[in-house]
Coordinates of all heavy atoms in Angstrom, one line a residue:
I109 N -8.2 2.6 17.7 CA -8.6 1.9 19.0 C -7.4 1.9 19.9 O -6.4 1.2 19.6 CB -9.3 0.6 18.9 CG1 -10.5 0.7 17.9 CG2 -9.7 0.0 20.2 CD1 -11.1 -0.7 17.5
P110 N -7.4 2.5 21.1 CA -6.3 2.4 22.0 C -5.9 1.0 22.3 O -6.9 0.2 22.7 CB -6.8 3.2 23.3 CG -7.8 4.1 22.7 CD -8.5 3.4 21.6
G111 N -4.7 0.7 22.2 CA -4.2 -0.7 22.5 C -4.2 -1.6 21.3 O -3.8 -2.7 21.4
R112 N -4.7 -1.1 20.2 CA -4.7 -1.9 19.0 C -3.9 -1.3 17.8 O -4.2 -1.5 16.7 CB -6.1 -2.2 18.5 CG -7.0 -3.0 19.6 CD -8.2 -3.6 18.9 NE -7.9 -4.6 17.9 CZ -8.8 -5.1 17.1 NH1 -10.1 -4.8 17.3 NH2 -8.4 -6.0 16.2
S113 N -2.9 -0.5 18.2 CA -2.1 0.2 17.2 C -1.4 -0.8 16.3 O -1.0 -1.9 16.7 CB -1.1 1.1 17.8 OG -1.7 2.1 18.6
L114 N -1.2 -0.5 15.0 CA -0.6 -1.3 14.0 C 1.0 -1.3 14.3 O 1.5 -0.3 14.8 CB -0.8 -0.8 12.6 CG -2.3 -0.8 12.2 CD1 -2.4 -0.2 10.8 CD2 -2.9 -2.2 12.2
S115 N 1.6 -2.4 14.0 CA 3.1 -2.4 14.2 C 3.7 -1.6 13.1 O 3.1 -1.2 12.1 CB 3.6 -3.8 14.1 OG 3.3 -4.4 12.7
R116 N 5.0 -1.2 13.3 CA 5.6 -0.3 12.4 C 5.8 -1.0 11.0 O 5.6 -0.4 10.0 CB 7.1 0.0 12.9 CG 7.9 0.9 12.0 CD 9.2 1.3 12.6 NE 9.0 2.0 13.9 CZ 10.1 2.4 14.6 NH1 11.3 2.2 14.2 NH2 9.8 3.1 15.7
S117 N 6.0 -2.3 11.0 CA 6.2 -3.0 9.7 C 4.8 -3.1 8.9 O 4.7 -2.8 7.7 CB 6.7 -4.4 9.9 OG 5.8 -5.2 10.7
T118 N 3.8 -3.3 9.7 CA 2.4 -3.4 9.1 C 2.0 -2.0 8.5 O 1.5 -1.9 7.4 CB 1.4 -3.9 10.1 OG1 1.7 -5.2 10.5 CG2 0.0 -3.9 9.5
L119 N 2.3 -1.0 9.3 CA 2.0 0.4 8.8 C 2.8 0.7 7.6 O 2.3 1.3 6.6 CB 2.3 1.3 10.0 CG 2.1 2.8 9.7 CD1 0.7 3.1 9.3 CD2 2.6 3.7 10.9
T120 N 4.1 0.4 7.6 CA 4.9 0.7 6.4 C 4.4 0.0 5.1 O 4.3 0.6 4.1 CB 6.4 0.3 6.7 OG1 6.9 1.0 7.8 CG2 7.3 0.6 5.5
W121 N 4.2 -1.3 5.3 CA 3.7 -2.0 4.1 C 2.3 -1.6 3.6 O 2.1 -1.5 2.4 CB 3.7 -3.6 4.4 CG 5.1 -4.2 4.4 CD1 5.8 -4.6 5.5 CD2 5.8 -4.5 3.2 NE1 7.0 -5.1 5.1 CE2 7.0 -5.0 3.7 CE3 5.7 -4.3 1.9 CZ2 8.0 -5.5 2.8 CZ3 6.6 -4.7 1.0 CH2 7.8 -5.3 1.5
T122 N 1.5 -1.2 4.6 CA 0.2 -0.7 4.2 C 0.2 0.6 3.4 O -0.4 0.7 2.4 CB -0.7 -0.6 5.5 OG1 -0.8 -1.8 6.1 CG2 -2.1 -0.1 5.1
L123 N 1.0 1.5 3.9 CA 1.1 2.8 3.3 C 1.8 2.6 1.9 O 1.3 3.2 0.9 CB 1.9 3.8 4.1 CG 1.2 4.3 5.4 CD1 2.1 5.1 6.3 CD2 0.0 5.1 5.1
A124 N 2.9 1.9 1.9 CA 3.6 1.7 0.6 C 2.8 1.0 -0.4 O 2.7 1.4 -1.6 CB 4.9 1.0 0.9
G125 N 2.1 -0.1 0.0 CA 1.3 -0.8 -0.9 C 0.1 0.0 -1.4 O -0.2 0.0 -2.6
G126 N -0.5 0.8 -0.5 CA -1.6 1.6 -1.0 C -1.2 2.6 -2.0 O -1.9 2.8 -3.0
L127 N -0.1 3.3 -1.8 CA 0.4 4.3 -2.7 C 0.8 3.7 -4.1 O 0.7 4.3 -5.1 CB 1.6 5.0 -2.1 CG 1.3 5.9 -0.9 CD1 2.6 6.5 -0.3 CD2 0.4 7.1 -1.4
L128 N 1.2 2.4 -4.1 CA 1.6 1.8 -5.4 C 0.5 1.2 -6.2 O 0.6 1.0 -7.4 CB 2.6 0.6 -5.0 CG 4.0 1.0 -4.7 CD1 4.8 -0.2 -4.3 CD2 4.7 1.8 -5.8
I129 N -0.7 1.0 -5.5 CA -1.8 0.3 -6.2 C -2.2 1.0 -7.5 O -2.3 0.4 -8.5 CB -3.0 0.2 -5.3 CG1 -2.8 -0.9 -4.2 CG2 -4.3 -0.1 -6.1 CD1 -3.9 -1.0 -3.2
P130 N -2.4 2.3 -7.6 CA -2.8 2.9 -8.8 C -1.8 2.7 -10.0 O -2.2 2.6 -11.1 CB -2.9 4.5 -8.5 CG -3.2 4.4 -7.0 CD -2.3 3.4 -6.5
F131 N -0.5 2.7 -9.6 CA 0.5 2.5 -10.6 C 0.6 1.1 -11.1 O 0.9 0.8 -12.3 CB 1.9 3.1 -10.1 CG 1.8 4.5 -9.6 CD1 1.6 4.8 -8.3 CD2 1.9 5.5 -10.6 CE1 1.6 6.1 -7.9 CE2 1.8 6.8 -10.2 CZ 1.6 7.2 -8.8
V132 N 0.4 0.2 -10.2 CA 0.4 -1.2 -10.6 C -0.7 -1.5 -11.5 O -0.6 -2.2 -12.5 CB 0.3 -2.1 -9.3 CG1 0.1 -3.6 -9.7 CG2 1.6 -2.0 -8.5
L133 N -1.9 -1.0 -11.2 CA -3.1 -1.2 -12.1 C -2.9 -0.5 -13.4 O -3.4 -1.0 -14.4 CB -4.3 -0.7 -11.4 CG -4.8 -1.4 -10.1 CD1 -6.1 -0.9 -9.7 CD2 -4.9 -2.9 -10.4
L134 N -2.2 0.6 -13.4 CA -1.9 1.2 -14.7 C -1.0 0.3 -15.6 O -1.3 0.2 -16.8 CB -1.1 2.6 -14.5 CG -0.6 3.3 -15.7 CD1 -1.8 3.8 -16.6 CD2 0.3 4.5 -15.4
L135 N 0.0 -0.3 -15.0 CA 0.9 -1.2 -15.7 C 0.1 -2.4 -16.2 O 0.4 -2.9 -17.3 CB 2.0 -1.7 -14.8 CG 3.0 -0.7 -14.3 CD1 4.0 -1.4 -13.3 CD2 3.8 -0.2 -15.6
L136 N -0.9 -2.9 -15.5 CA -1.7 -4.0 -15.9 C -2.8 -3.6 -17.0 O -3.4 -4.5 -17.6 CB -2.4 -4.6 -14.7 CG -1.4 -5.3 -13.7 CD1 -2.2 -5.8 -12.5 CD2 -0.6 -6.4 -14.3
T137 N -3.1 -2.3 -17.1 CA -4.2 -1.9 -17.9 C -3.7 -1.4 -19.3 O -4.3 -1.7 -20.3 CB -5.0 -0.7 -17.3 OG1 -5.5 -1.2 -16.0 CG2 -6.1 -0.2 -18.1
T138 N -2.7 -0.6 -19.3 CA -2.2 0.1 -20.5 C -1.2 -0.7 -21.3 O -0.4 -1.5 -20.7 CB -1.7 1.5 -20.3 OG1 -1.5 2.2 -21.5 CG2 -0.4 1.5 -19.5
S139 N -1.1 -0.5 -22.5 CA -0.1 -1.2 -23.4 C 0.9 -0.1 -23.9 O 1.8 -0.5 -24.6 CB -0.7 -1.9 -24.6 OG -1.5 -1.1 -25.3
S140 N 0.6 1.1 -23.6 CA 1.5 2.2 -24.1 C 1.5 3.4 -23.1 O 0.4 3.7 -22.4 CB 0.9 2.8 -25.4 OG 1.6 3.9 -25.9

């Protein structure tokens, strides 16, 4: 939406957090 762009910090944290989610869940799921 024009005029509602995300800030640089919000964008960075969103992308980084999203990419890490599968690996965090792997750590919480597997024991080996």
Side-chain angles (χ1 to χ4, degrees):
I109 301 174
R112 299 197 63 187
S113 298
L114 301 176
S115 65
R116 182 176 299 180
S117 60
T118 300
L119 177 61
T120 300
W121 282 108
T122 301
L123 290 172
L127 291 172
L128 285 174
I129 285 175
F131 302 100
V132 172
L133 293 187
L134 175 67
L135 291 174
L136 296 175
T137 301
T138 189
S139 58
S140 174

